[in-house]
Amino acid sequence: MTGCIVLYNNEKKILLDCISSFINSEIISKLYLIDNSPTYKLRNISNDPRIEYIHNPSNPGFGAAHNMAINKSINEGVDFHFVINPDVSFDSNVIQEMVNYMKLNEDVGMMMPQILNFDGTVQNLPKLLPTPFSILMRKLKRPKFIYDSFINRYELRNVPEDLIYEAPILSGCFTLFNLKALKKVGGYDDKFFMYFEDWDLSRRMNKSFKTVYFPKVFVYHGYESGANKHRLLFKIFIKSAIYYFNKWGWFFDKERELVNKKTLNQFK
């Protein structure tokens, strides 16, 4: 059992909370820290022997950095691997329960737990496959009478909170992968520097394996929504969105319609 956190000039206290949450689980064999920061200031963040620190100052992006750890884990014959954001914290039982579920359900290639804000409110991260309209509406949030019905459907907000189900889009902030499945569908697409790489991988995984939302356990996540606050991140977001829709289809995407219909049919 392995995991990876990609770093970039992170605040040490928040990062230590994340590292401690993960390595507190006894079934963890290795945690990779792929540091895309320009300096070595995070190099000695922990002296736990299960941690392997890799400095990666060329900063190829979120997905490309995670692929380094994923490939190492695959080559070492590891069965399961976690992708973790550095601003996540959780109880040690989360790891064990997610792994147990995946062991019992070999057709699951990818899964995520319930994600909470630090105040305990739910982050609505499982989604239907997006259209360009979906992206626009999530940014504008108006007109309200259209937005409310749209967001409830798109983010599956009316599904019972404790229900385990398949969602074609899972967030990359905390993800468990079956590495045999991941080896088959391929890792993150390196052409996404940041944003949409998890959506793209979810969609590819969902073609051949189940992508499961597992709200029986939860983690806390400091959701930043950086693209709404910083001009550079917003530009990266737009570039990734264009690449995503160029890859999968803008307005004509039959597969998207079929997958979304199948997802919603679970709840009838």
Side-chain angles (χ1 to χ4, degrees), residues 176-189:
L176 172 60
F177 288 103
N178 177 332
L179 287 183
K180 288 181 181 177
L182 193 59
K183 186 177 180 180
K184 180 177 178 179
V185 305
Y188 290 103
D189 185 336

Side-chain angles (χ1 to χ4, degrees), residues 150-168:
F150 152 76
I151 202 67
N152 286 335
R153 180 180 184 275
Y154 175 59
E155 294 188 344
L156 306 169
R157 293 188 178 190
N158 292 327
V159 178
E161 284 192 4
D162 62 346
L163 184 67
I164 299 171
Y165 61 86
E166 286 189 68

Side-chain angles (χ1 to χ4, degrees), residues 127-130 153 156 166-169 202-203 206-207 211 248 253-267:
K127 296 175 178 66
L128 299 177
L129 292 179
R153 180 180 184 275
L156 306 169
E166 286 189 68
I169 295 292
S202 293
R203 180 164 184 170
N206 186 253
K207 281 173 171 284
T211 50
W248 291 105
D253 183 353
K254 265 193 171 181
E255 183 184 73
R256 177 173 61 206
E257 295 175 15
L258 292 172
V259 169
N260 287 346
K261 183 177 180 180
K262 178 184 175 184
T263 300
L264 294 171
N265 281 342
Q266 294 175 99
F267 315 122

Side-chain angles (χ1 to χ4, degrees), residues 52-248:
E52 181 174 335
Y53 174 90
I54 300 172
H55 193 222
N56 194 35
S58 63
N59 190 13
F62 177 88
H66 271 296
N67 281 341
M68 295 173 63
I70 288 169
N71 291 334
K72 281 177 171 284
S73 295
I74 289 174
N75 291 336
E76 291 173 7
V78 174
D79 293 324
F80 306 109
H81 178 84
F82 281 87
V83 164
I84 312 150
N85 268 23
D87 54 355
V88 166
S89 60
F90 49 94
D91 293 330
S92 58
N93 71 303
V94 170
I95 300 296
Q96 186 70 67
E97 291 200 35
M98 291 182 69
V99 170
N100 287 347
Y101 183 86
M102 191 169 272
K103 283 181 177 178
L104 291 172
N105 298 272
E106 295 182 358
D107 55 350
V108 176
M110 179 179 181
M111 59 188 291
M112 64 174 286
Q114 185 180 65
I115 311 293
L116 302 180
N117 294 304
F118 291 124
D119 64 3
T121 55
V122 175
Q123 295 180 11
N124 298 291
L125 298 182
K127 296 175 178 66
L128 299 177
L129 292 179
T131 66
F133 174 78
S134 307
I135 306 304
L136 182 63
M137 283 298 293
R138 285 188 77 235
K139 292 297 180 186
L140 295 178
K141 295 181 170 58
R142 61 174 69 92
K144 192 175 186 304
F145 73 95
I146 294 177
Y147 174 76
D148 287 347
S149 59
F150 152 76
I151 202 67
N152 286 335
R153 180 180 184 275
Y154 175 59
E155 294 188 344
L156 306 169
R157 293 188 178 190
N158 292 327
V159 178
E161 284 192 4
D162 62 346
L163 184 67
I164 299 171
Y165 61 86
E166 286 189 68
I169 295 292
L170 299 179
S171 169
C173 68
F174 193 91
T175 313
L176 172 60
F177 288 103
N178 177 332
L179 287 183
K180 288 181 181 177
L182 193 59
K183 186 177 180 180
K184 180 177 178 179
V185 305
Y188 290 103
D189 185 336
D190 292 355
K191 291 182 180 178
F192 292 99
F193 179 79
M194 188 166 61
Y195 302 119
F196 288 88
E197 73 288 319
D198 48 352
W199 295 16
D200 171 76
L201 181 49
S202 293
R203 180 164 184 170
R204 285 186 282 120
M205 184 67 78
N206 186 253
K207 281 173 171 284
S208 303
F209 299 90
K210 291 182 178 179
T211 50
V212 170
Y213 176 60
F214 185 72
K216 301 302 181 183
V217 294
F218 61 87
V219 304
Y220 293 101
H221 174 225
Y223 187 66
E224 290 291 334
S225 190
N228 293 330
K229 302 173 184 176
H230 304 286
R231 182 175 297 179
L232 176 59
L233 293 180
F234 182 70
K235 288 181 179 179
I236 294 171
F237 177 89
I238 294 298
K239 182 178 179 181
S240 293
I242 291 170
Y243 178 65
Y244 176 89
F245 287 114
N246 282 344
K247 181 175 183 176
W248 291 105

